[in-house]
Amino acid sequence: MFERILVAVDGSDHSMRAVVAAKDLAQKSNGEVRVVHVHEREFPAVRGAVGTAETPAQAGRLVERYVKELEAGGVSTSGDARASGLGGAAREILHSAEEFDAGLVIMGTRGLSDFAGLLLGSVAHKVIHHARCPVMVVR
Ligand SMILES: Nc1ncnc2c1ncn2[C@@H]1O[C@H](COP(=O)(O)OP(=O)(O)OP(=O)(O)O)[C@@H](O)[C@H]1O
Ligand SMILES: [Mg+2]
């Protein structure tokens, strides 16, 4: 069940902890990991409200960094950097999970946003709500 693990990263410390959990679990189950990062495009009209100033190249390098981290731990790993469509990051994470045929999705409870008091970020919330496989949220 946990032999194909999708881990979602946004560059936050939370998602780094999700990568550590994915590595640990994959090592124990002799599993395979895919790292997904959704590049959230910035819309000029709402600059600062959504998205980041991240370029597609930076998104690719972010994924690459985590792929190397997992491979250094002896885990067979692939990467998936993709652009956000209308459904936002959550929808792309769900698509990536389907494509990879993931048995488990691992993500952080929170991400890059800075709202004090929020228990669970909106991306994590949507993925838990719609995923067809178990979702582990790491804090
Ligand atoms: N763009 C993304 N690509 C891949 N994974 C993501 C992305 N954004 C968030 N995640 C995953 O979801 C987890 C929770 O982040 P989320 O975005 O839900 O919380 P937040 O940033 O604190 O709040 P919000 O974005 O709702 O304002 C992250 O730790 C990461 O695992
Ligand atoms: Mg976020």
Side-chain angles (χ1 to χ4, degrees), residues 56-67:
Q58 284 169 331
R61 282 198 293 274
L62 179 74
V63 168
E64 223 20 66
R65 200 166 76 224
Y66 291 119
V67 168

Side-chain angles (χ1 to χ4, degrees), residues 10 12 40 89 110-114 121-124:
D10 62 355
S12 65
E40 293 179 271
R110 299 288 318 278
L112 289 171
S113 293
D114 214 10
S122 62
V123 176

Side-chain angles (χ1 to χ4, degrees), residues 11-122:
S12 65
D13 292 347
H14 297 273
S15 74
M16 184 61 220
R17 290 196 281 279
V19 170
V20 171
K23 180 159 78 175
D24 198 40
L25 212 53
Q27 285 168 339
K28 289 189 169 77
S29 65
N30 200 19
E32 198 182 321
V33 173
R34 177 160 297 175
V35 178
V36 63
H37 174 63
V38 183
H39 168 55
E40 293 179 271
R41 275 177 288 197
E42 195 172 20
F43 299 98
V46 285
R47 192 178 294 272
V50 296
T52 61
E54 179 189 61
T55 65
Q58 284 169 331
R61 282 198 293 274
L62 179 74
V63 168
E64 223 20 66
R65 200 166 76 224
Y66 291 119
V67 168
K68 289 210 176 88
E69 164 94 22
L70 283 144
E71 282 176 343
V75 177
S76 159
T77 311
S78 54
D80 181 16
R82 46 171 76 206
S84 165
L86 285 179
R91 171 156 313 173
E92 292 308 318
I93 292 167
L94 292 161
H95 282 160
S96 188
E98 293 289 315
E99 280 171 28
F100 183 52
D101 195 21
L104 178 70
V105 173
I106 304 185
M107 53 204 309
T109 50
R110 299 288 318 278
L112 289 171
S113 293
D114 214 10
F115 298 118
L118 193 69
L119 290 176
L120 192 68
S122 62

